[in-house]
Short mmCIF file of all heavy atoms in Angstrom, two decimals:
data_model
loop_
_atom_site.label_atom_id
_atom_site.label_comp_id
_atom_site.label_asym_id
_atom_site.label_seq_id
_atom_site.Cartn_x
_atom_site.Cartn_y
_atom_site.Cartn_z
N LEU A 1 -9.24 19.05 -29.47
CA LEU A 1 -8.91 19.14 -30.90
C LEU A 1 -7.80 18.17 -31.26
O LEU A 1 -7.89 17.44 -32.26
CB LEU A 1 -8.50 20.58 -31.27
CG LEU A 1 -9.62 21.61 -31.40
CD1 LEU A 1 -9.03 23.02 -31.44
CD2 LEU A 1 -10.44 21.35 -32.65
N ASN A 2 -6.75 18.15 -30.45
CA ASN A 2 -5.61 17.28 -30.74
C ASN A 2 -6.00 15.81 -30.69
O ASN A 2 -5.57 15.00 -31.52
CB ASN A 2 -4.48 17.54 -29.74
CG ASN A 2 -3.84 18.90 -29.91
OD1 ASN A 2 -3.97 19.52 -30.99
ND2 ASN A 2 -3.16 19.39 -28.89
N ARG A 3 -6.84 15.44 -29.72
CA ARG A 3 -7.23 14.03 -29.58
C ARG A 3 -8.07 13.57 -30.76
O ARG A 3 -7.90 12.46 -31.26
CB ARG A 3 -7.98 13.83 -28.27
CG ARG A 3 -7.07 13.91 -27.04
CD ARG A 3 -7.85 13.84 -25.74
NE ARG A 3 -6.95 13.94 -24.59
CZ ARG A 3 -7.36 14.08 -23.33
NH1 ARG A 3 -8.66 14.12 -23.06
NH2 ARG A 3 -6.48 14.18 -22.35
N PHE A 4 -8.98 14.41 -31.22
CA PHE A 4 -9.79 14.02 -32.38
C PHE A 4 -8.94 13.93 -33.64
O PHE A 4 -9.16 13.06 -34.49
CB PHE A 4 -10.95 15.00 -32.57
CG PHE A 4 -12.16 14.66 -31.74
CD1 PHE A 4 -12.43 15.36 -30.58
CD2 PHE A 4 -13.00 13.63 -32.11
CE1 PHE A 4 -13.53 15.04 -29.79
CE2 PHE A 4 -14.11 13.29 -31.34
CZ PHE A 4 -14.37 14.01 -30.18
N LYS A 5 -7.95 14.81 -33.77
CA LYS A 5 -7.08 14.76 -34.94
C LYS A 5 -6.18 13.52 -34.90
O LYS A 5 -5.92 12.89 -35.93
CB LYS A 5 -6.23 16.03 -35.00
CG LYS A 5 -7.03 17.27 -35.38
CD LYS A 5 -6.17 18.53 -35.39
CE LYS A 5 -6.98 19.76 -35.76
NZ LYS A 5 -6.16 21.00 -35.73
N GLU A 6 -5.71 13.17 -33.69
CA GLU A 6 -4.84 11.99 -33.56
C GLU A 6 -5.59 10.70 -33.85
O GLU A 6 -5.06 9.79 -34.50
CB GLU A 6 -4.25 11.95 -32.15
CG GLU A 6 -3.22 13.04 -31.88
CD GLU A 6 -2.83 13.11 -30.42
OE1 GLU A 6 -3.36 12.29 -29.62
OE2 GLU A 6 -2.03 13.98 -30.07
N THR A 7 -6.81 10.59 -33.36
CA THR A 7 -7.58 9.36 -33.54
C THR A 7 -8.35 9.33 -34.87
O THR A 7 -8.83 8.28 -35.28
CB THR A 7 -8.61 9.20 -32.40
OG1 THR A 7 -9.51 10.31 -32.40
CG2 THR A 7 -7.89 9.13 -31.04
N ARG A 8 -8.45 10.51 -35.49
CA ARG A 8 -9.18 10.64 -36.77
C ARG A 8 -10.65 10.24 -36.64
O ARG A 8 -11.27 9.80 -37.60
CB ARG A 8 -8.50 9.83 -37.88
CG ARG A 8 -7.08 10.28 -38.17
CD ARG A 8 -6.45 9.51 -39.30
NE ARG A 8 -5.09 9.95 -39.57
CZ ARG A 8 -4.29 9.46 -40.50
NH1 ARG A 8 -4.72 8.46 -41.27
NH2 ARG A 8 -3.08 9.93 -40.67
N ARG A 9 -11.17 10.38 -35.45
CA ARG A 9 -12.60 10.13 -35.23
C ARG A 9 -13.37 11.43 -35.40
O ARG A 9 -12.85 12.52 -35.20
CB ARG A 9 -12.83 9.56 -33.84
CG ARG A 9 -12.17 8.21 -33.61
CD ARG A 9 -12.51 7.67 -32.24
NE ARG A 9 -13.93 7.44 -32.09
CZ ARG A 9 -14.51 7.12 -30.94
NH1 ARG A 9 -13.80 7.05 -29.84
NH2 ARG A 9 -15.82 6.92 -30.89
N GLU A 10 -14.64 11.29 -35.74
CA GLU A 10 -15.47 12.47 -35.93
C GLU A 10 -16.25 12.77 -34.66
O GLU A 10 -16.79 11.88 -34.01
CB GLU A 10 -16.45 12.24 -37.09
CG GLU A 10 -17.27 13.48 -37.44
CD GLU A 10 -18.09 13.28 -38.70
OE1 GLU A 10 -17.50 12.98 -39.75
OE2 GLU A 10 -19.34 13.42 -38.62
N HIS A 11 -16.29 14.03 -34.31
CA HIS A 11 -17.06 14.46 -33.14
C HIS A 11 -18.55 14.22 -33.41
O HIS A 11 -19.02 14.45 -34.53
CB HIS A 11 -16.80 15.94 -32.87
CG HIS A 11 -17.32 16.42 -31.56
ND1 HIS A 11 -18.67 16.65 -31.31
CD2 HIS A 11 -16.66 16.74 -30.40
CE1 HIS A 11 -18.81 17.07 -30.07
NE2 HIS A 11 -17.62 17.13 -29.50
N PRO A 12 -19.31 13.77 -32.41
CA PRO A 12 -20.73 13.47 -32.64
C PRO A 12 -21.55 14.66 -33.16
O PRO A 12 -22.60 14.46 -33.77
CB PRO A 12 -21.23 13.06 -31.24
CG PRO A 12 -20.01 12.58 -30.53
CD PRO A 12 -18.88 13.41 -31.04
N LEU A 13 -21.08 15.88 -32.92
CA LEU A 13 -21.84 17.06 -33.33
C LEU A 13 -21.24 17.79 -34.53
O LEU A 13 -21.69 18.87 -34.88
CB LEU A 13 -21.96 18.04 -32.15
CG LEU A 13 -22.66 17.53 -30.89
CD1 LEU A 13 -22.69 18.60 -29.81
CD2 LEU A 13 -24.06 17.05 -31.22
N THR A 14 -20.22 17.20 -35.16
CA THR A 14 -19.55 17.89 -36.26
C THR A 14 -20.51 18.20 -37.40
O THR A 14 -20.51 19.31 -37.95
CB THR A 14 -18.37 17.05 -36.79
OG1 THR A 14 -17.42 16.85 -35.75
CG2 THR A 14 -17.70 17.73 -37.96
N THR A 15 -21.32 17.24 -37.80
CA THR A 15 -22.26 17.46 -38.92
C THR A 15 -23.21 18.60 -38.60
O THR A 15 -23.48 19.46 -39.45
CB THR A 15 -23.06 16.18 -39.20
OG1 THR A 15 -22.16 15.12 -39.50
CG2 THR A 15 -24.01 16.40 -40.37
N GLN A 16 -23.69 18.64 -37.39
CA GLN A 16 -24.63 19.68 -36.99
C GLN A 16 -23.95 21.03 -36.83
O GLN A 16 -24.51 22.07 -37.22
CB GLN A 16 -25.30 19.28 -35.67
CG GLN A 16 -26.37 20.25 -35.19
CD GLN A 16 -27.03 19.77 -33.91
OE1 GLN A 16 -26.78 18.66 -33.47
NE2 GLN A 16 -27.88 20.61 -33.34
N ALA A 17 -22.73 21.03 -36.28
CA ALA A 17 -22.05 22.30 -35.99
C ALA A 17 -21.29 22.84 -37.18
O ALA A 17 -21.09 24.05 -37.29
CB ALA A 17 -21.10 22.11 -34.81
N GLY A 18 -20.84 21.97 -38.06
CA GLY A 18 -20.14 22.41 -39.26
C GLY A 18 -18.64 22.30 -39.20
O GLY A 18 -17.97 22.27 -40.24
N SER A 19 -18.05 22.27 -38.00
CA SER A 19 -16.60 22.12 -37.85
C SER A 19 -16.31 21.51 -36.50
O SER A 19 -17.16 21.51 -35.58
CB SER A 19 -15.88 23.47 -37.96
OG SER A 19 -16.17 24.29 -36.84
N LEU A 20 -15.10 21.01 -36.34
CA LEU A 20 -14.73 20.37 -35.08
C LEU A 20 -14.73 21.39 -33.94
O LEU A 20 -15.24 21.12 -32.85
CB LEU A 20 -13.36 19.70 -35.21
CG LEU A 20 -12.80 19.03 -33.94
CD1 LEU A 20 -13.78 18.00 -33.39
CD2 LEU A 20 -11.44 18.38 -34.24
N SER A 21 -14.15 22.56 -34.18
CA SER A 21 -14.10 23.59 -33.14
C SER A 21 -15.50 24.00 -32.71
O SER A 21 -15.79 24.15 -31.51
CB SER A 21 -13.33 24.81 -33.64
OG SER A 21 -11.99 24.49 -33.91
N ALA A 22 -16.38 24.17 -33.68
CA ALA A 22 -17.76 24.56 -33.37
C ALA A 22 -18.48 23.44 -32.63
O ALA A 22 -19.30 23.70 -31.73
CB ALA A 22 -18.50 24.93 -34.64
N ALA A 23 -18.18 22.19 -32.99
CA ALA A 23 -18.82 21.05 -32.32
C ALA A 23 -18.41 20.97 -30.86
O ALA A 23 -19.25 20.71 -29.98
CB ALA A 23 -18.45 19.76 -33.04
N ILE A 24 -17.14 21.22 -30.58
CA ILE A 24 -16.66 21.20 -29.19
C ILE A 24 -17.34 22.30 -28.38
O ILE A 24 -17.77 22.09 -27.24
CB ILE A 24 -15.12 21.35 -29.16
CG1 ILE A 24 -14.47 20.09 -29.73
CG2 ILE A 24 -14.64 21.60 -27.73
CD1 ILE A 24 -12.97 20.20 -29.91
N ALA A 25 -17.44 23.49 -28.97
CA ALA A 25 -18.09 24.61 -28.29
C ALA A 25 -19.57 24.33 -28.04
O ALA A 25 -20.10 24.62 -26.96
CB ALA A 25 -17.92 25.89 -29.11
N MET A 26 -20.24 23.73 -29.03
CA MET A 26 -21.66 23.42 -28.89
C MET A 26 -21.87 22.38 -27.80
O MET A 26 -22.79 22.50 -26.97
CB MET A 26 -22.22 22.89 -30.22
CG MET A 26 -23.69 22.51 -30.17
SD MET A 26 -24.27 21.80 -31.75
CE MET A 26 -24.19 23.24 -32.80
N GLU A 27 -21.02 21.35 -27.77
CA GLU A 27 -21.17 20.31 -26.76
C GLU A 27 -20.90 20.87 -25.36
O GLU A 27 -21.62 20.55 -24.40
CB GLU A 27 -20.21 19.15 -27.03
CG GLU A 27 -20.35 18.02 -26.02
CD GLU A 27 -19.40 16.86 -26.29
OE1 GLU A 27 -18.29 17.11 -26.80
OE2 GLU A 27 -19.79 15.73 -25.99
N ARG A 28 -19.89 21.71 -25.24
CA ARG A 28 -19.57 22.29 -23.94
C ARG A 28 -20.78 23.05 -23.38
O ARG A 28 -21.10 22.97 -22.19
CB ARG A 28 -18.35 23.20 -24.06
CG ARG A 28 -17.69 23.52 -22.73
CD ARG A 28 -16.49 24.43 -22.92
NE ARG A 28 -15.40 23.78 -23.60
CZ ARG A 28 -14.50 22.99 -23.01
NH1 ARG A 28 -14.60 22.73 -21.72
NH2 ARG A 28 -13.52 22.45 -23.71
N GLU A 29 -21.47 23.79 -24.26
CA GLU A 29 -22.64 24.54 -23.83
C GLU A 29 -23.78 23.61 -23.43
O GLU A 29 -24.45 23.82 -22.42
CB GLU A 29 -23.09 25.48 -24.95
CG GLU A 29 -24.30 26.33 -24.60
CD GLU A 29 -24.71 27.27 -25.72
OE1 GLU A 29 -24.00 27.31 -26.76
OE2 GLU A 29 -25.74 27.95 -25.56
N ARG A 30 -24.01 22.57 -24.24
CA ARG A 30 -25.11 21.65 -23.95
C ARG A 30 -24.88 20.86 -22.67
O ARG A 30 -25.84 20.50 -21.98
CB ARG A 30 -25.29 20.67 -25.11
CG ARG A 30 -25.89 21.30 -26.37
CD ARG A 30 -26.19 20.22 -27.39
NE ARG A 30 -26.78 20.78 -28.60
CZ ARG A 30 -27.14 20.05 -29.66
NH1 ARG A 30 -27.01 18.72 -29.63
NH2 ARG A 30 -27.65 20.63 -30.72
N MET A 31 -23.64 20.58 -22.35
CA MET A 31 -23.34 19.73 -21.20
C MET A 31 -23.24 20.52 -19.89
O MET A 31 -23.09 19.92 -18.83
CB MET A 31 -22.02 18.97 -21.44
CG MET A 31 -22.04 18.03 -22.64
SD MET A 31 -23.28 16.73 -22.48
CE MET A 31 -22.58 15.74 -21.19
N GLN A 32 -23.30 21.83 -19.97
CA GLN A 32 -23.11 22.66 -18.77
C GLN A 32 -24.07 22.31 -17.64
O GLN A 32 -23.66 22.26 -16.46
CB GLN A 32 -23.23 24.14 -19.14
CG GLN A 32 -22.89 25.09 -18.00
CD GLN A 32 -21.47 24.92 -17.50
OE1 GLN A 32 -20.58 24.50 -18.22
NE2 GLN A 32 -21.25 25.25 -16.22
#
């Protein structure tokens, strides 16, 4: 979360997940 906020880049799954936190959780599950 901190790194994305510092760089102001968008997470690749933000649009699909709806929020940065949800995008991180979704990616973690997909990458398992």
